[in-house]
Amino acid sequence: MTAGRTRWLFASQLGSQFDDGGQIMLIEARSVFARRPMHRAKAHLLLSALRHRARELGERAEFHRVDNYAEVVDGRDDLEVIDPTSWSARRFVRKRGIAVLPSRGFVTNETDFGEWAASRGSSRLLLEDFYRDMRVRTGILMEGSAPAGGSWNYDHDNRQPPPKNAATLGLAPWWPTEDDIDDEVRSDLDQWSSEGSVRLVGEDGPRRFAATETEANQALSDFLDYRLADFGRYEDAMLQGDWTMAHSLLSAPMNLGLLDPREVVDAAEARLRAGEAPLNSVEGFVRQIAGWRDYVWHLYWHLGERYPAQSNYLRATTPLPDAFTSLDPEQITANCLRETIDGMRRHGWAHHIQRLMVLGNWALQHGYDPVALNDWFVDMFVDGTPWVMPANVIGMSQHADGGIVATKPYASGGAYINKMSDYCGSCRFNPKVRLGDDACPFTAGYWAFLDRNESRLARNGRMGQSLAALRQLSDREAVVDQERRRDSW
Ligand SMILES: Cc1cc2nc3c(=O)[nH]c(=O)nc-3n(C[C@H](O)[C@H](O)[C@H](O)COP(=O)(O)OP(=O)(O)OC[C@H]3O[C@@H](n4cnc5c(N)ncnc54)[C@H](O)[C@@H]3O)c2cc1C
Ligand code: SF4
């Protein structure tokens, strides 16, 4: 902290890792909530976290509730910031000459990533290479110069389907207790909505995600004690009666800056060393945070601000349907999609495989506009941020960059969903059927997607087998025609 300066902290910088002592400024700007429709649980969490932080800091913090940042910031020359997390916020602070300190909140820093990326020359920036380099540089899960357990990757032990006939994993998480700040937030949101200054979607409450550092640490301990051991094997499993499975629910507190991801990773490694969690789970969890989370953060800057707008390799232009924009499960028959959208409506959250293989897969098959989808994910998820989305949505899930982030599209039919979940048993459609009244829209949609993009995907060696199977389909034309006409899904 530079003497005489006030540190302006953003809503992604609310934990003690961003506080070096000294005077703090927090701004609650209504315009942030008014840009586009936002999930009500997300608006609630952001406001609750900011207001809790202001109360914790007491007289050390100036807390402004205004319409926009410029009202408070313009004309001041005493401010410093820790580099913020979006292109627009970085532009805003630099344009005003505000002192900028290096970013925090990730396991690796931007300089190290820049050096690593430069050292790769023209080679692809693969997650697996970044992840191994990170492990060596940080010593996380290392035994000397070798990876703990002798292998870098335990994916073969993970990705199991859910236990047969189980309605839930029985690993219900700890939940925060709301207080007077949450009551005030709820009534403010009611008022802002009725005035028409914000457009909120979905349900708000009870609050399920940590809004303070104390709550975040409680959520972390609960995960380490009760779910980390099963995290690995059920990482990709889905059960309609269990919306949290063995996941950590820590993305929101980490993205609010309430937890230091390095400390989270170290705490998981300590459970391994104490014999309290298996290596496949701990490695899988470390890979998600120090691997994927850091990797997509660095790619956000590396790929550039125009990466989303310039990426539409599959020429996808379909607008998002009302069932998505209004989070209305009543408009959806497909059980997997209906349950996922319903979970989003209730919580502003879905777990990874629902995001990738249900929502993302569906959007990919139906050619939803990638930028509109990217913005929808930012606005509708409690953990949605501008930096996390481009690599995940534009790159990984929609293949809109033609293969920079993922070597092939994450498209699959109902067989995958059937294997990894219990959704299909009570669905009106049949995952094995591609033609007729019972045809599963994911199964038939998969073939229609391949048909529509055949010529572009033919350039991708990894799609050879799928395209060969498409060409052998006896009813290809009928399936494609059926999906073109489909009005109920
Ligand atoms: C289409 C799509 C959209 C996504 N949107 C978001 C988002 O808005 N915000 C967000 O933080 N993550 C997002 N992710 C990544 C991941 O799905 C979520 O981080 C995770 O589901 C959050 O739940 P959790 O904390 O219980 O995670 P866990 O399953 O417990 O995983 C542990 C942590 O790993 C990190 N992580 C895992 N995978 C990723 C990833 N691909 N990218 C970044 N971090 C990762 C998260 O910080 C997460 O908390 C998205 C992934 C996809 C495919
Ligand atoms: S049958 Fe198809 S639409 Fe229904 S739940 Fe299974 S994958 Fe989803």
Side-chain angles (χ1 to χ4, degrees):
M1 185 96 195
T2 314
R5 286 203 191 278
T6 295
R7 181 169 295 171
W8 173 19
L9 292 176
F10 292 84
S12 54
Q13 302 176 334
L14 299 177
S16 49
Q17 54 178 317
F18 296 92
D19 179 9
D20 299 319
Q23 193 62 26
I24 299 285
M25 179 173 82
L26 298 166
I27 306 179
E28 178 185 303
R30 176 103 59 109
S31 57
V32 170
F33 302 89
R35 286 180 200 134
R36 298 189 299 252
M38 185 184 276
H39 199 294
R40 201 179 151 124
K42 174 179 180 145
H44 183 136
L45 183 65
L46 284 172
L47 290 168
S48 179
L50 264 171
R51 294 179 187 185
H52 275 100
R53 188 65 177 136
R55 181 183 282 180
E56 275 167 13
L57 288 167
E59 292 189 351
R60 274 188 59 216
E62 305 169 32
F63 183 36
H64 302 275
R65 288 186 186 174
V66 289
D67 189 52
N68 60 65
Y69 293 141
E71 281 176 56
V72 181
V73 170
D74 282 357
R76 283 182 72 155
D77 60 4
D78 64 325
L79 296 177
E80 70 175 23
V81 293
I82 293 172
D83 221 354
T85 55
S86 71
W87 285 101
S88 60
R90 286 196 173 179
R91 211 168 20 250
F92 182 94
V93 297
R94 282 168 175 73
K95 203 167 133 198
R96 286 164 175 79
I98 295 172
V100 177
L101 303 169
S103 63
R104 298 179 192 175
F106 294 86
V107 175
T108 54
N109 67 47
E110 291 175 47
T111 311
D112 289 346
F113 180 85
E115 284 168 13
W116 174 78
S119 76
R120 309 284 301 160
S122 57
S123 312
R124 300 192 52 188
L125 299 181
L126 295 177
L127 174 274
E128 191 62 35
D129 297 337
F130 166 76
Y131 173 66
R132 291 181 191 190
D133 183 75
M134 178 282 301
R135 294 262 301 268
V136 172
R137 263 186 297 122
T138 57
I140 294 169
L141 284 183
M142 295 296 290
E143 280 151 11
S145 58
S151 174
W152 294 103
N153 189 320
Y154 291 87
D155 277 355
H156 53 272
D157 294 332
N158 296 342
R159 301 182 174 160
Q160 286 180 27
K164 271 210 171 1
N165 303 322
T168 73
L169 293 183
L171 303 170
W174 165 90
W175 301 123
T177 306
E178 291 195 3
D179 62 11
D180 59 307
I181 291 184
D182 293 291
D183 293 341
E184 182 199 51
V185 164
R186 202 162 272 123
S187 103
D188 285 351
L189 287 174
D190 284 342
Q191 196 192 326
W192 297 0
S193 284
S194 63
E195 289 166 6
S197 58
V198 297
R199 284 168 296 158
L200 300 171
V201 182
E203 284 180 13
D204 166 22
R207 177 167 62 78
R208 294 305 197 191
F209 296 87
T212 67
E213 196 163 310
T214 307
E215 287 181 351
N217 280 314
Q218 179 88 42
L220 170 62
S221 302
D222 177 75
F223 170 70
L224 296 171
D225 289 345
Y226 302 112
R227 295 194 303 291
L228 174 61
D230 288 312
F231 175 84
R233 62 180 166 154
Y234 296 131
E235 207 175 338
D236 288 358
M238 301 177 273
L239 283 170
Q240 61 183 343
D242 191 342
W243 67 278
T244 54
M245 301 294 285
H247 292 280
S248 70
L249 310 180
L250 295 177
S251 53
M254 270 191 283
N255 296 354
L256 290 166
L258 298 171
L259 284 175
D260 178 341
R262 178 67 202 248
E263 289 178 13
V264 173
V265 161
D266 287 348
E269 181 169 359
R271 296 300 174 112
L272 171 77
R273 305 283 176 205
E276 291 167 12
L279 181 54
N280 65 308
S281 274
V282 173
E283 190 283 317
F285 186 64
V286 167
R287 169 181 292 268
Q288 299 312 312
I289 295 179
W292 276 108
R293 183 173 185 272
D294 266 47
Y295 175 69
V296 305
W297 159 252
H298 292 306
L299 286 185
Y300 176 67
W301 305 110
H302 180 80
L303 295 171
E305 187 171 9
R306 293 174 57 71
Y307 165 75
Q310 286 173 338
S311 303
N312 199 347
Y313 180 70
L314 298 177
R315 308 285 184 272
T317 54
T318 310
L320 268 59
D322 185 60
F324 271 54
T325 52
S326 60
L327 296 180
D328 181 6
E330 298 303 321
Q331 298 182 45
I332 305 173
T333 308
N335 198 32
C336 52
L337 193 57
R338 193 181 64 232
E339 286 288 324
T340 302
I341 292 281
D342 192 42
M344 281 185 66
R345 178 182 66 80
R346 285 183 284 130
H347 311 294
W349 186 90
H351 57 75
H352 184 70
I353 215 67
Q354 292 175 314
R355 299 187 202 203
L356 186 63
M357 299 313 290
V358 179
L359 298 169
N361 187 14
W362 180 265
L364 176 68
Q365 290 186 2
H366 292 84
Y368 291 175
D369 179 304
V371 170
L373 186 72
N374 189 83
D375 293 346
W376 178 79
F377 269 106
V378 173
D379 300 332
M380 294 299 143
F381 279 84
V382 286
D383 54 9
T385 66
W387 61 264
V388 85
M389 237 40 108
N392 272 310
V393 175
I394 304 288
M396 181 157 52
S397 126
Q398 300 304 295
H399 202 65
D401 63 8
I404 297 172
V405 173
T407 48
K408 64 183 252 210
Y410 273 87
S412 83
Y416 174 84
I417 294 172
N418 192 26
K419 178 176 158 219
M420 297 307 292
S421 78
D422 64 351
Y423 289 135
C424 301
S426 47
C427 184
R428 128 111 190 70
F429 301 113
N430 182 338
K432 296 195 175 97
V433 176
R434 63 174 178 264
L435 194 59
D437 280 353
D438 294 343
C440 162
F442 276 86
T443 301
Y446 171 73
W447 296 116
F449 164 77
L450 290 183
D451 176 85
R452 193 173 70 245
N453 293 292
E454 185 177 7
S455 59
R456 279 186 203 97
L457 297 177
R459 293 172 215 151
N460 184 332
R462 294 196 63 206
M463 294 304 293
Q465 264 192 332
S466 308
L467 292 176
L470 171 74
R471 288 173 199 131
Q472 278 165 13
L473 279 192
S474 51
D475 48 10
R476 172 174 171 172
E477 262 180 47
V479 171
V480 170
D481 188 51
Q482 163 189 280
E483 292 311 298
R484 201 177 293 125
R485 293 162 189 269
R486 185 182 282 282
D487 54 10
S488 139
W489 40 272

